[in-house]
Amino acid sequence: MGVPLHVSSPQGRAEGSASLVDGSELRAIDPYGKHLFYRFGPKEAQGQRTLHVHLGLFGKFTRSKSPALPPKETVRLRIASPKWTVDLVGPTDCRIVDPDEEFTIRARLGPDPLRPDADPELVWKSLQRRRIPIGEALLDQKVIAGVGNVYRAEALFIVGVHPNRPANQLDRYEFDQIWSTLVRLLNLGVQDKRILTVSDDELATFDRPRRRIPGKEAVYVYKKGHCMRCGSAIERWDMAGRWAYACQTCQPK
DNA sequence: TGGGCATGCGCAA
DNA sequence: TGCGCCTGCCCAT
């Protein structure tokens, strides 16, 4: 930040957006749930342009030292400073949005557990109105922003709630546990730059080799055949188009 | 080499 | 509810 950036779209699909911010400075990055808002331009809001990025299922950022190697053909956006070059590949969305479009995107999102200003009360009220399974509700970004399939599986495992429990049948204590677990796990993910849901103590007992693999996720039930805590079989089923996971012992129906 | 799959989401029917 | 889109990786052949 603070230096003019060279922004380009080697793939061509984001050329229009890239040209609008090419040569300007990056002022801030404002994450909200799974959405990223990059603020380019002058310090004052007027004259700023906002680049919206959503990684979707396949999107990925890679960073290398400048000058970087020539980009692959699939690079949607390249942002280069004299020191670093960042390539973005495969995002669902990568384009300049105006304030109205940003408002529309934000209006579709519930509270984000990673944001200090998030209000869990809104999530609780939203869940009380829904008869859908809690596992489905946690993936609904209108209810709560930023939770994906891994964190859904892991948070419900940690609090011992089965994903099929109707959202409006949770009691307040269970909800508070789910919220605080998500806050803790998501912050841990940011801090560790990987998905890590297992406590240090448990990781040391059952997952020692993995602990030393930087960037490798460490989880209890997601994509596991057996529960990493008790060894029971992990149940896996399709829940609204996504795989859900639960330990038959730790998460009684 | 080709199929299947994946931390997602919007749209048509 | 099902499909299409976005890309890379792993595994079977």
Side-chain angles (χ1 to χ4, degrees), chain A residues 19-252:
Chain A
S19 65
L20 287 173
V21 292
D22 186 28
S24 57
E25 297 178 15
L26 181 61
R27 294 295 177 188
I29 304 172
D30 194 9
Y32 204 108
K34 298 170 185 171
H35 299 255
L36 302 167
F37 298 96
Y38 287 74
R39 317 288 182 196
F40 285 94
K43 275 182 185 164
E44 58 277 15
Q46 204 166 21
Q48 271 192 359
R49 288 189 196 276
T50 296
L51 178 77
H52 173 243
V53 173
H54 191 295
L55 294 177
L57 202 49
F58 316 117
K60 194 171 278 182
F61 284 107
T62 52
R63 191 176 78 153
S64 55
K65 280 187 178 172
S66 294
L69 294 170
K72 292 168 75 172
E73 282 179 12
T74 52
V75 173
R76 181 79 55 88
L77 196 80
R78 170 167 276 200
I79 303 176
S81 79
K83 280 189 180 173
W84 299 102
T85 296
V86 172
D87 284 341
L88 170 63
V89 168
T92 294
D93 197 19
C94 170
R95 63 193 171 88
I96 299 293
V97 291
D98 62 33
D100 283 350
E101 289 174 298
E102 178 173 346
F103 180 83
T104 305
I105 293 168
R106 299 265 297 248
R108 287 200 304 256
L109 301 174
D112 173 356
L114 273 176
R115 294 183 72 97
D117 59 352
D119 183 2
E121 215 48 43
L122 295 175
V123 181
W124 169 240
K125 284 179 182 150
S126 176
L127 291 177
Q128 285 182 304
R129 289 195 302 268
R130 286 162 205 264
R131 275 180 284 184
I132 59 171
I134 181 63
E136 265 186 64
L138 289 182
L139 287 191
D140 185 342
Q141 303 296 299
K142 290 192 296 293
V143 175
I144 182 168
V147 178
N149 207 12
V150 182
Y151 285 111
R152 157 179 85 172
E154 295 296 303
L156 290 176
F157 169 81
I158 287 168
V159 301
V161 168
H162 195 279
N164 278 342
R165 280 269 296 285
N168 62 0
Q169 284 180 23
L170 290 177
D171 62 37
R172 181 66 203 225
Y173 176 76
E174 288 169 320
F175 167 72
D176 288 341
Q177 295 282 100
I178 290 173
W179 176 264
S180 61
T181 299
L182 287 169
V183 170
R184 181 173 65 80
L185 295 183
L186 289 169
N187 276 290
L188 192 59
V190 170
Q191 178 194 315
D192 232 51
K193 294 188 173 66
R194 63 166 168 164
I195 294 177
L196 174 65
T197 63
V198 179
S199 72
D200 270 357
D201 288 348
E202 277 180 296
L203 201 56
T205 61
F206 67 64
D207 216 6
R208 192 175 291 275
R210 276 217 156 170
R211 198 181 191 195
R212 291 194 288 269
I213 305 175
K216 195 77 184 170
E217 86 284 351
V219 297
Y220 289 105
V221 291
Y222 178 76
K223 276 191 178 175
K224 300 287 186 191
H226 297 277
C227 175
M228 300 302 281
R229 180 173 281 165
C230 78
S232 299
I234 296 299
E235 183 190 0
R236 186 184 88 153
W237 69 104
D238 186 296
M239 178 179 263
R242 313 292 305 281
W243 289 119
Y245 302 84
C247 169
Q248 300 186 352
T249 304
C250 303
Q251 295 164 275

